[in-house]
Amino acid sequence: MIRNYLKTAYRGLLKNKGFTTLNILGLSLGLASCLLIIFYVVDELSYDRYNTKAERIYRVNEDLKLGENNVLYAVAMPPLAKTLKSDFPYVENTVRIKNAGSVHVKKGTTIILENRVGFADPSLFDVFTLPMINGDPKTALAEPNSVVLTESTAKKYFNSTSVIGKTLAFDNNGFFKITGVIKDIPQQSHFNFDFFISMSTFPDSKSNEWLRSDYNTYVLFKDAVDSKKLEASFPAFLTKYSGDQMKSQLHMDMRTFEKSGSFFRLNLTPLTDIHLKSNRSGELGANGTVQYVYIFSAIALFILLIACVNFMNLSTARSANRAREVGVRKVLGSAKKQLVGQFLTESTLLTFAATVIAFVGAVALLPAFNQLSGKEIIVDGHTLGWLIPALLLIVLFVGAIAGSYPAFYLSAFQPIDVLKGKLATGFKGSSLRSFLVVLQFSISIFLIISTIVIYNQLHFIQNKNLGYNRSQVLIVQNASELNKQAGVFKQEVKKLPGVVDATLTGFLPTSNWKSTAIYFKDASFDQKKALFPQSWEVDENYISTLEMKMAAGRNFSADMLTDSSGIVINEAAAKFR
């Protein structure tokens, strides 16, 4: 019976090539667009889930409010990790990671600048799932000047992963012994380093300061529910360990500090929430936002709905012309369930063909989509593991929905009425088709309006006055490598035709996180008079090169030696009282 359904459906679709082609292409375009968005959403939702203990790993954050300044940090104090593990029995382990910035690594006679370098405690491999190819994960980061490489980095420098015991020269001032090689960290990770240097190499890691936050700190609980216990214990914990330092540095205890309206608190973020739900200062990588996931998921749903409605409209329109065929079949003895099966088979076959085309199209467009979205999405065995069942469900669902109305409607006709043509007009004026057309156009108009709104927002952002001119400004990275010759390089650049001005600085007016310090107007340490600014070191050409406007006063001058102790503040700092 199924074979007969398929044969009849194939012949019917082949006979109406125009209808078949139009219906398949319409549905396949919608499905392909939907698939690309699904790839993006699944990629965003999969961050850090490669860790087998992900549900028990949390990051410790710091919230600081000082006067009118409120800052959210993704980092915590140097001694916090060790103290948490020793004080709370339900904490199984802790680990600290710190971005080491850019490091020069020597490969033969070549010096390579590496930007993905971090310090880490020896417990890194106990907390995170970072499979080690060579070396002992328990001791790999135990000794100072030891380093663990990723697989691709080991091959980059030695063309092999059997590199245990070999050394690498960093910044021409020290040799680091390779003690381990791990598999490359998945792209879906909120941190992605190529080198992990032992934390004991960094002297500051032994600091006992409780009023300074520099280290991304992670806690592995014995049970995920213990995270609530730890958060409830944080106030008393901070009072116990930071109290003396607050009195010596801020001249007040924690209670007085909070009474003034300020606070200093710790909280936890689940590992799997970091990428989409955390946008704090000191993040180890660029995070996404969960709002984008919601928005793109809704868009994918709308696109799929439009494609399905269009598919159903074309199917029902064609079915209206088949009323006589149904009448003849019923006269010849076809049962209602056989007619229903025939219509459902045809719509499912169409949907299957459209889905195959959509899958092939989505895979072909994936490289271009990756370039547009900044992703590195690939379709591998893991992807196919969930994608194929999902596509089969779409085939069955869309096929059943699109074919159900004409199947059940037409199969219920009385043969004598069909053959006399009494139902054709009524069917063509079906209220369901009218509703589907209205729904389709409503969704399309909504998406068009949304696109216009987003375009206007992007146009506003691109043309907003940011207080400096970002057009026609070229940034030359790593000019600091020139050391004392950097100034000469700047002067030579200024001589180039077309160059109006040039400046040397390590600070750009962007959102990149920089270290900050607390400033008070006087020695009273009044929290309401505290300022929490970023401090940038610039030369006398910085303001003129970026075409910043002076609201009052003057710019730095190379002719005035006293400017070495001078500062320029912005209007917000000037309004500070």
Side-chain angles (χ1 to χ4, degrees), residues 95-153:
V95 63
R96 295 175 300 170
I97 300 176
K98 184 176 177 63
N99 195 328
S102 299
V103 174
H104 295 87
V105 184
K106 190 173 183 180
K107 179 184 179 182
T109 58
T110 305
I111 304 296
I112 301 175
L113 181 65
E114 297 286 358
N115 296 311
R116 305 205 305 186
V117 184
F119 294 102
D121 285 323
S123 55
L124 175 71
F125 308 108
D126 293 327
V127 176
F128 295 102
T129 304
L130 301 172
M132 189 163 283
I133 300 173
N134 286 309
D136 183 356
K138 296 186 180 299
T139 60
L141 294 175
E143 300 296 327
N145 290 81
S146 58
V147 62
V148 172
L149 312 180
T150 60
E151 182 180 5
S152 59
T153 304

Side-chain angles (χ1 to χ4, degrees), residues 421-443:
K422 293 182 179 180
L423 299 177
T425 304
F427 184 80
K428 291 179 181 178
S430 171
S431 59
L432 176 61
R433 289 183 57 202
S434 300
F435 170 76
L436 291 177
V437 170
V438 172
L439 177 63
Q440 185 180 22
F441 275 94
S442 298
I443 296 174

Side-chain angles (χ1 to χ4, degrees), residues 28-61:
S28 61
L29 284 174
L31 285 174
S33 302
C34 185
L35 277 178
L36 289 173
I37 296 176
I38 288 175
F39 288 152
Y40 174 88
V41 170
V42 170
D43 184 81
E44 287 288 284
L45 293 175
S46 63
Y47 267 73
D48 295 305
R49 296 185 185 276
Y50 66 89
N51 292 283
T52 58
K53 304 173 184 176
E55 300 304 319
R56 295 189 287 130
I57 302 173
Y58 288 72
R59 187 186 65 194
V60 185
N61 309 309

Side-chain angles (χ1 to χ4, degrees), residues 292-360:
Y292 288 166
V293 172
Y294 295 148
I295 291 171
F296 286 126
S297 297
I299 291 174
L301 182 62
F302 284 143
I303 291 175
L304 181 60
L305 188 57
I306 290 174
C308 290
V309 168
N310 184 68
F311 183 81
M312 292 171 66
N313 279 334
L314 290 175
S315 297
T316 53
R318 178 172 175 266
S319 298
N321 298 323
R322 300 178 64 183
R324 290 184 182 275
E325 174 191 338
V326 173
V328 172
R329 283 175 176 269
K330 297 193 78 172
V331 168
L332 295 176
S334 294
K336 179 177 180 179
K337 65 178 182 180
Q338 292 175 323
L339 293 171
V340 170
Q342 182 63 52
F343 279 106
L344 291 179
T345 300
E346 289 183 11
S347 61
T348 303
L349 193 61
L350 272 176
T351 307
F352 179 77
T355 303
V356 172
I357 295 174
F359 173 74
V360 174

Side-chain angles (χ1 to χ4, degrees), residues 67-364:
E68 300 300 322
N69 307 279
N70 196 348
V71 188
L72 305 179
Y73 290 115
V75 289
M77 300 76 72
L80 178 66
K82 180 179 178 181
T83 311
L84 288 177
K85 185 178 179 181
S86 62
D87 282 21
F88 300 98
Y90 48 80
V91 172
E92 181 176 322
N93 217 330
T94 58
V95 63
R96 295 175 300 170
I97 300 176
K98 184 176 177 63
N99 195 328
S102 299
V103 174
H104 295 87
V105 184
K106 190 173 183 180
K107 179 184 179 182
T109 58
T110 305
I111 304 296
I112 301 175
L113 181 65
E114 297 286 358
N115 296 311
R116 305 205 305 186
V117 184
F119 294 102
D121 285 323
S123 55
L124 175 71
F125 308 108
D126 293 327
V127 176
F128 295 102
T129 304
L130 301 172
M132 189 163 283
I133 300 173
N134 286 309
D136 183 356
K138 296 186 180 299
T139 60
L141 294 175
E143 300 296 327
N145 290 81
S146 58
V147 62
V148 172
L149 312 180
T150 60
E151 182 180 5
S152 59
T153 304
K155 292 178 179 179
K156 173 182 176 181
Y157 283 90
F158 301 99
N159 295 318
S160 171
T161 58
S162 300
V163 295
I164 303 301
K166 295 184 179 181
T167 59
L168 283 173
F170 282 16
D171 287 330
N172 294 322
N173 59 4
F175 289 89
F176 287 76
K177 181 180 178 181
I178 301 173
T179 54
V181 177
I182 61 174
K183 290 185 178 180
D184 290 349
I185 301 175
Q187 290 296 324
Q188 294 78 21
S189 175
H190 78 282
F191 66 82
N192 214 308
F193 293 107
D194 295 325
F195 301 80
F196 285 104
I197 302 173
S198 56
M199 188 66 77
S200 56
T201 307
F202 189 49
D204 183 76
S205 65
K206 302 177 179 64
S207 170
N208 195 41
E209 295 183 62
W210 286 89
L211 299 183
R212 175 172 62 85
S213 297
D214 306 276
Y215 297 82
N216 295 87
T217 303
Y218 302 85
V219 178
L220 173 65
F221 291 99
K222 294 179 179 178
D223 192 317
V225 298
D226 292 329
S227 62
K228 301 297 181 183
K229 297 180 186 177
L230 184 60
E231 281 195 312
S233 303
F234 275 148
F237 175 83
L238 277 178
T239 300
K240 176 181 177 181
Y241 287 100
S242 64
D244 292 341
Q245 293 183 20
M246 288 195 69
K247 289 179 181 178
S248 62
Q249 296 183 32
L250 299 180
H251 308 288
M252 65 181 69
D253 56 21
M254 186 68 76
R255 182 175 297 179
T256 306
F257 183 71
E258 293 188 348
K259 280 185 176 180
S260 66
S262 302
F263 59 75
F264 171 43
R265 299 169 183 166
L266 297 177
N267 57 68
L268 300 172
T269 295
L271 178 66
T272 52
D273 284 353
I274 291 176
H275 178 68
L276 290 178
K277 298 181 181 179
S278 179
N279 189 22
R280 293 168 169 264
S281 296
E283 298 282 355
L284 288 175
N287 290 340
T289 58
V290 72
Q291 286 81 8
Y292 288 166
V293 172
Y294 295 148
I295 291 171
F296 286 126
S297 297
I299 291 174
L301 182 62
F302 284 143
I303 291 175
L304 181 60
L305 188 57
I306 290 174
C308 290
V309 168
N310 184 68
F311 183 81
M312 292 171 66
N313 279 334
L314 290 175
S315 297
T316 53
R318 178 172 175 266
S319 298
N321 298 323
R322 300 178 64 183
R324 290 184 182 275
E325 174 191 338
V326 173
V328 172
R329 283 175 176 269
K330 297 193 78 172
V331 168
L332 295 176
S334 294
K336 179 177 180 179
K337 65 178 182 180
Q338 292 175 323
L339 293 171
V340 170
Q342 182 63 52
F343 279 106
L344 291 179
T345 300
E346 289 183 11
S347 61
T348 303
L349 193 61
L350 272 176
T351 307
F352 179 77
T355 303
V356 172
I357 295 174
F359 173 74
V360 174
V363 173

Side-chain angles (χ1 to χ4, degrees), residues 17-27 310 314:
K17 294 179 181 179
F19 160 79
T20 302
T21 302
L22 183 62
N23 218 2
I24 289 178
L25 286 180
L27 183 58
N310 184 68
L314 290 175

